Amino acid sequence: MAEEEPLLPAPPAEAPPEPPSAPWRNGAAFWLLGFCNNVPYVVMLSAARDILQPPEAPPPHGNGSRYDCNPVSTGAVLLADILPALLVKVAAPFGLHLLPHSPRVAAAAFCAWGSFSLVASAAGVAAGLGGVVLASAASGLGEVTFLALASGYPRVGVSCWSSGTGAAGLGGALAYGALLQAGLPLPHALLPALGLPLLTLLSYFFLLTPPPPPTEPPPPAVGLTLGQKWRLVKLELLYFPSSALTHGEQYRWYQLLYQAGVFASRSSLRCLRLRRVALLALLQVFNAALLLAAVATPFLPALGVAFAVVAGEGLLGGAAYANAFLNVAEEAPPEGRDFAVTVASLGETVGVALAGGAALGVHDFFCGAA
């Protein structure tokens, strides 16, 4: 009797080919996800002075100090805008990345809606900071979720996500400043943003065949730390009293020009690819030292020069962000890519948190001595 041949395992079924529309649909979805995810973070930073402003209207050029100091540093808003995201990202490598994407996206959208609702309620500084905290949680949860999704696609995922986050910076700061210039107070200026969480959900479900999350934790050796957002210098203290712009308007222009630089460099991956991002970090340190010196000893000849320096800082920061995350997505093995992106995002957030803490000290030093 002939010996039976052993049964061989069936070859794995091939994934159906993507339709021709998949690249542009996925690219558009990731661009919108990046935009919607970062708008709350950017708007809260742009509104920092307004959130902390006491109920009574201040005089146009301040409190007797040449820095026109707020009673509370805008570094408090930066910390409230980053610490919850930091906690989310610290928890992410320990199991958050194993949860399905859909509930994470829904939670991020709900937090974003709650953040705008609280700040728009104009219930005081405490409620405003509470809204900032929710915006931070939404941004952190969305970033670790959407970046992990983007890294599973070709370059279109990371590049379109980065461009969308840059557009959020420019569009958020520009829209907020324009609404204020039109005469809308802070609560009403945020009402149009209440529809962004719904756009986040629609954009997520617009993706074609998103890759499933890993079922087992990847090896912990995969991952990079990234601390490229050292904002040691308080732009709120870089004040030009002789300008026709008020202090609040100058601060909002700083934010707008910084975000314009970020948008330009985060959208440049398809024409300018940088693999050595350490040089960009060193240039950011030099730029921060220059601005800190300009606060201590006002040697910049005009507000326009300060605007140019701040825009250059945005170019450096945006290029470092986009290229560093694309490096991670391309170099990490597929089984550890989700974990690697999460750890890289954590390192970037640690840098922002340290910058916010340093900003509080810088504010107290200069405003206490003024």
Side-chain angles (χ1 to χ4, degrees), residues 360-370:
L360 291 176
V362 170
H363 175 275
D364 291 343
F365 175 80
F366 284 107
C367 292

Side-chain angles (χ1 to χ4, degrees), residues 103-127:
R104 285 193 272 168
V105 173
F110 179 78
C111 288
W113 181 85
S115 71
F116 288 122
S117 299
L118 270 178
V119 178
S121 68
V125 173

Side-chain angles (χ1 to χ4, degrees), residues 32 44 48 74 86 100 107 154 192 199 207 218 224 238 254 281 284 291 318 326 339 346 352:
L32 287 172
M44 297 308 167
T74 54
L86 177 61
L199 183 58
L207 285 172
L224 301 173
L238 193 61
Y254 288 142
Q284 285 183 287
L291 290 175
L326 186 55
F339 184 82
L346 171 62
V352 182

Side-chain angles (χ1 to χ4, degrees), residues 1 15 17 52 54 68 97 103 122 164 168 176 180 195 211 215 240 242 259 274 282 313 341:
M1 186 162 134
L52 297 173
D68 190 30
H97 65 289
Y176 178 73
L180 289 185
T215 56
F240 291 80
S242 60
Q259 299 297 345
L274 302 173
L282 292 176
E313 172 67 15
V341 168

Side-chain angles (χ1 to χ4, degrees), residues 276-293:
R276 299 181 181 272
V277 296
L279 177 61
L280 297 174
L282 292 176
L283 290 174
Q284 285 183 287
V285 172
F286 172 78
N287 207 341
L290 175 66
L291 290 175
L292 182 60

